């Protein structure tokens, strides 16, 4: 499809395991965002990729979190040694890089750490 | 820290009534956007208002922006049960990088 695709849609993992969450942005979109949303809460900014610029990692909560974007397209968010407090919905969005443009969101990955 | 703060946190109205949600932010901006979220999943863009605009309409939606007060409001007129959702404002913080920061959201319930 033409939208932002995230996989898996749901992930249950054991505490201490590593997980990888994938985001396929809309073709041609140079900006890509990752957010985290706990139940009933707002969107917590994690990381922002814009073209070839260094990513803005200012929202990553700890060094257990990392993300990369290969070839300016697909992005992977990796959480190492997962903790129960990492349980949340992880949302990815993409947009064209220019001012005054909207972001398009994927349906998110619901991560549950047991 | 979150750039936008919405209020109220929750709003419950009857179908046909108008719903008003407010958003305050801290830094200067290039634009402010409103998004809607159903069932805790992906967000859908509703409307964008530029910093040099004061009011914008889209169907039953009306957005105002007051840059002197660093605040915006979203009005949904003649609400419907299908408008039940969470609504978020997002700003770019005039960073010119395109980075979007979201508020905590307002949960709207429209009773049929």
């Amino acid at each position: 499809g033409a939208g932002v695709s995230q996989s898996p849609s749901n992930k249950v993992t054991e505490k201490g395991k590593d997980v990888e969450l994938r985001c396929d942005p809309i073709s041609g979109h140079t900006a890509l965002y990752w957010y985290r949303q706990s139940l009933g809460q707002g969107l917590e900014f994690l990381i922002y990729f814009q073209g070839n610029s260094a990513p803005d990692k200012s929202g990553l909560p700890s060094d257990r979190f990392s993300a990369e974007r290969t070839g300016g397209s697909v992005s992977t968010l990796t959480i190492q040694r997962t903790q129960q407090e990492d349980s949340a919905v992880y949302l990815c969005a993409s947009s064209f890089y220019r001012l005054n443009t909207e972001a398009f969101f994927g349906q998110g990955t619901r991560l549950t750490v047991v | 820290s979150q750039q936008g703060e919405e209020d109220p946190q929750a709003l419950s109205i009857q179908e046909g009534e108008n719903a008003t949600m407010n958003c305050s932010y801290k830094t200067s901006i290039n634009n402010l956007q409103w998004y809607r979220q159903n069932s805790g999943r992906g967000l859908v863009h509703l409307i964008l208002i530029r910093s040099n605009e004061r009011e914008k309409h889209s169907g039953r939606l009306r957005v105002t922006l007051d840059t002197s007060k660093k605040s915006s409001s979203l009005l949904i007129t003649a609400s419907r049960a299908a408008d039940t959702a969470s609504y978020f404002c997002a700003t770019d913080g005039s960073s010119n990088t395109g980075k979007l920061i979201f508020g905590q959201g307002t949960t709207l319930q429209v009773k049929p």
Side-chain angles (χ1 to χ4, degrees), chain B residues 13-51:
Chain B
I13 59 174
Q14 293 295 134
E15 207 165 27
E17 294 180 338
N18 296 339
T20 299
M21 289 159 269
N22 303 295
C23 169
S24 60
Y25 56 92
K26 298 174 183 175
T27 68
S28 58
I29 60 172
N30 292 305
N31 69 70
L32 184 143
Q33 304 181 37
W34 285 91
Y35 288 78
R36 165 189 168 134
Q37 182 181 42
N38 289 86
S39 305
R41 288 295 192 154
L43 279 71
V44 175
H45 180 263
L46 294 177
I47 196 165
L48 180 152
I49 186 165
R50 293 178 172 80
S51 59

Side-chain angles (χ1 to χ4, degrees), chain A residues 31-105:
Chain A
L32 187 146
Y33 318 73
W34 281 98
Y35 297 91
R36 178 169 72 174
Q37 186 177 33
S38 299
L39 187 62
Q41 302 298 310
L43 274 70
E44 177 188 3
F45 168 77
L46 296 178
I47 189 169
Y48 170 61
F49 295 91
Q50 170 30 44
N52 295 321
S53 302
D56 181 336
K57 303 179 182 180
S58 59
L60 294 178
S62 77
D63 59 7
R64 296 187 296 105
F65 288 74
S66 64
E68 62 177 23
R69 188 178 185 191
T70 55
S73 182
V74 172
S75 177
T76 302
L77 177 68
T78 301
I79 308 173
Q80 295 178 312
R81 306 180 302 281
T82 51
Q83 304 294 314
Q84 287 187 329
E85 59 264 29
D86 299 334
S87 296
V89 175
Y90 289 81
L91 292 161
C92 175
S94 71
S95 70
F96 286 111
Y97 174 60
R98 58 174 182 264
L99 292 180
N100 304 318
T101 186
E102 66 183 278
F104 293 81
F105 279 80

